[in-house]
Amino acid sequence: MTGIKLIGTGMYIPETVATNEDFTKIVDTSDEWITKRTGIKERHPSNGEPTWYMGVQAAKQAMEDAGVTPDEIDMVISTSVTGDYYTPSTANIMQGKLGIHKAFSIDINCACAGFVYGFDMAQRYIAMDDDVKTVLIISSENITKLVDYEDRSTCVLFGDGAGAAVVTAGPNRCYTYLECEAQDANKIYAQNVRPGNAFTTQEGREKYLDLFPQGREHYMHMDGRDVYKFATRAMPEGLHKACEKAGIKVEDLALIIPHQANYRIIETAAKNLGLSMDHFYLNIDRYGNISSACIPVCLNELKRAGRLKEGDKIALVGFGAGLVYGATVFTI
């Protein structure tokens, strides 16, 4: 299979800052409680920016960094779960705003593991379709619009933002392991508008009521204890299996970029892997959990800091609602 090469990255973070101290004014919590349990000190909630807008800003940076024009993009992948419209897709909207005219676009919903899935999808299209040479992956999330600010256990976790990457064919494959524990999909959810129309009867509404999640309106529900157990197991498993495909050991990785869900999750996973925290890149203290945007934002910061060295083997690992998880190993 044709390999993949990362040639450009970008990011957008809203200017609004919500510190732990700010949360003490709206829920019963404290800076100490949040920091100890999550590692988060501040996050950047949207101040009204649309999801597509944040993604476009990140994508412009990534394209400039890669040195490519809109006409050189053959495919746009959006990994957002917080789009602004039912239709058209977030990818369609961003493609139009970016002036990309010679490409096709697609949305994928893989929750916080979205960028890992998108990265793998990009390699497969590049390898199998002669018309796809350059792919733009955009992960933009307005996750705070799903947050219940009366639930102190979850509202402190999330921020908003976008990350983007441009990839093209390269000499080295990415090796990916993807998995879904769908039987536990109800552990994290945010429900949509329920079916209903001018002909829906009260009997019909009641008949199917039990088939829908019983959460509060559209707000996110998360079973924190079970999700913690899932994540601390899924991260090591995904990394081990991706490394097995690549023919290397986890300790051979120069760097691991995990989904930034919770410092304690990453710390526990590191112990299970027998690795020090030095192997992991973290920025959760500054941004919180921004869903699928976490990993590309990390990639952008690392690239701009000169920490992605040519020839290094790095891993991306994500996990989230679904319950989906996945890891990919590739060479810079």
Side-chain angles (χ1 to χ4, degrees), residues 258-277:
H259 169 52
Q260 310 286 304
N262 184 305
Y263 181 87
R264 291 170 64 186
I265 288 175
I266 299 168
E267 185 179 45
T268 301
K271 290 178 181 177
N272 293 340
L273 287 162
L275 299 176
S276 74
M277 290 295 285

Side-chain angles (χ1 to χ4, degrees), residues 160-183:
D160 299 319
V166 178
V167 296
T168 189
N172 301 301
R173 277 188 60 187
C174 73
Y175 295 87
T176 306
Y177 177 79
L178 305 174
E179 184 64 88
C180 177
E181 297 181 4
Q183 70 277 8

